[in-house]
Amino acid sequence: MKFDPKFVRNLLFLYEEADFAGVNEKELFKFADLHNKSRRELLDTIAIMNKGKLVTNKIHYAGKTPMWIAEGSITDTGKDYLDKIKNPLIWKKTQKILLSATKVTLQSILSTAISVTING
């Protein structure tokens, strides 16, 4: 799967909007469909976001096959992360810089956005 920073950002907006109500599997699958993402891409992205402690969803597996996603919400870390990439101008500059990166990770998105914020 190719890591998609824009999809991560859009998912964080979804979680922020839901706030304490949480986001369930049905909402996530519908959101993925609206963004032309497969369920596999969604699951992989949620797993990355969960590992980065941005969201609290847990993916339940049968062997290596994902079976369902438990309802979850954005964490304080996720809120702080989104705050750094929320501004459209900061995000546009961050995306432009990330285009030249050989590998994009949650950390590289964050450090790039912080650099853009500081250096303009």
Side-chain angles (χ1 to χ4, degrees):
M1 176 199 95
K2 185 174 187 273
F3 184 74
D4 184 350
K6 185 177 178 182
F7 189 51
V8 169
R9 182 175 183 259
N10 289 335
L11 277 166
L12 287 171
F13 280 123
L14 173 71
Y15 280 95
E16 181 185 52
E17 186 178 305
D19 200 19
F20 295 110
V23 181
N24 65 39
E25 181 180 65
K26 184 178 177 182
E27 292 168 313
L28 288 168
F29 287 147
K30 182 177 177 183
F31 188 81
D33 289 343
L34 289 171
H35 289 271
N36 297 314
K37 297 293 181 186
S38 69
R39 289 184 177 202
R40 182 82 233 176
E41 289 171 306
L42 172 68
L43 291 166
D44 289 347
T45 302
I46 294 293
I48 290 167
M49 293 170 68
N50 193 280
K51 187 174 182 181
K53 301 193 184 325
L54 303 182
V55 297
T56 61
N57 297 85
K58 299 289 185 212
I59 300 171
H60 298 271
Y61 295 87
K64 292 186 177 191
T65 305
M67 296 304 290
W68 59 281
I69 305 171
E71 187 170 306
S73 58
I74 191 168
T75 63
D76 287 341
T77 301
K79 289 176 184 178
D80 291 343
Y81 190 95
L82 181 58
D83 284 344
K84 304 279 189 297
I85 60 174
K86 188 180 277 189
N87 179 296
L89 295 175
I90 299 295
W91 180 244
K92 187 175 182 177
K93 289 179 183 180
T94 299
Q95 279 188 296
K96 188 174 182 180
I97 292 168
L98 292 173
L99 286 174
S100 62
T102 54
K103 183 178 181 184
V104 178
T105 64
L106 291 175
Q107 186 56 47
S108 67
I109 295 168
L110 184 60
S111 60
T112 302
I114 290 170
S115 176
V116 166
T117 302
I118 292 169
N119 302 317

